[in-house]
């Protein structure tokens, strides 16, 4: 198993936990590059926290910043099961995440490769390396099953 798959599998486990709580199944993991230590694991908590900004990525970024006692995550990589939305993409830029790995594309609500493509905009202050499609089938299936069960 490659490192990318290992960390994406951890993010998928977080997404499954979110689905079990009735949240949209998205999970995120942040890895400190130099040490390869996982410093944050989170999943969506929008409903649970009554907070529309409680996306897995933002929650994980907050935890990682506290762990490193810095508002910048320069040496960190983010693994997330769904393409980040525009809000999350902007925070990823502000946090100076080194690399972004995401599983499933989000054609409707994405902000990285779809939609406004925040991290590709001229106004973007920091562009992480971006790798999409890692573990896409499993993440897509989990999302499809979740929304199918809601209809």
């Amino acid at each position: 198993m490659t490192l990318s798959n290992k960390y994406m599998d951890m993010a998928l486990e977080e997404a499954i936990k979110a689905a079990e709580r009735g949240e949209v199944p998205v999970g995120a993991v942040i890895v400190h590059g130099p040490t390869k230590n996982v410093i944050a694991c989170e999943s969506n908590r929008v409903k649970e926290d009554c907070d529309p900004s409680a996306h897995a990525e933002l929650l994980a970024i907050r935890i990682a910043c506290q762990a490193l006692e810095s508002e910048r995550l320069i040496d960190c990589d983010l693994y997330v099961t769904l393409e980040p939305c525009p809000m999350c993409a902007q925070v990823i830029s502000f946090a100076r995440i080194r690399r972004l790995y995401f599983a499933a594309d989000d054609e409707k609500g994405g902000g990285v490769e779809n939609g406004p493509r925040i991290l590709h905009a001229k106004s973007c202050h920091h562009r992480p390396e971006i790798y999409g499609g890692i573990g896409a089938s499993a993440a897509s299936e989990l999302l499809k099953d979740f929304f199918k069960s809601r209809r």
Side-chain angles (χ1 to χ4, degrees):
M1 177 185 299
T2 66
L3 288 179
S4 296
N5 288 339
K6 172 186 171 182
Y7 299 128
M8 192 59 77
D9 287 347
M10 291 174 73
L12 189 59
E13 288 174 23
E14 290 296 319
I16 291 167
K17 291 176 189 175
E20 290 170 352
R21 295 189 322 269
E23 298 278 0
V24 174
V26 178
V29 170
I30 296 181
V31 179
H32 185 243
T35 64
K36 301 289 187 239
N37 288 334
V38 173
I39 57 173
C41 289
E42 266 299 343
S43 57
N44 276 359
R45 289 198 325 244
V46 171
K47 292 174 94 176
E48 184 178 332
D49 290 0
C50 297
D51 179 356
S53 72
H55 291 198
E57 303 95 305
L58 269 72
L59 297 171
I61 287 170
R62 289 173 187 152
I63 291 168
C65 286
Q66 289 178 355
L68 296 179
E69 298 180 340
S70 174
E71 75 283 6
R72 302 284 187 250
L73 300 174
I74 294 167
D75 292 326
C76 294
D77 302 331
L78 170 63
Y79 295 79
V80 61
T81 58
L82 182 64
E83 175 185 353
C85 72
M87 172 183 67
C88 292
Q90 195 66 63
V91 174
I92 289 165
S93 175
F94 289 159
R96 307 297 196 263
I97 297 282
R98 178 176 69 169
R99 291 186 193 109
L100 167 64
Y101 299 90
F102 68 89
D105 281 330
D106 188 350
E107 293 177 14
K108 197 174 184 181
V112 176
E113 298 296 331
N114 293 284
R117 298 172 49 93
I118 299 291
L119 300 174
H120 299 283
K122 289 181 182 178
S123 60
C124 183
H125 297 290
H126 169 77
R127 292 179 185 103
E129 293 176 32
I130 302 167
Y131 303 93
I134 299 162
S137 329
S140 294
E141 195 63 33
L142 179 61
L143 285 158
K144 286 176 188 172
D145 289 347
F146 177 80
F147 287 113
K148 189 177 182 181
S149 71
R150 298 287 185 257
R151 294 183 184 124

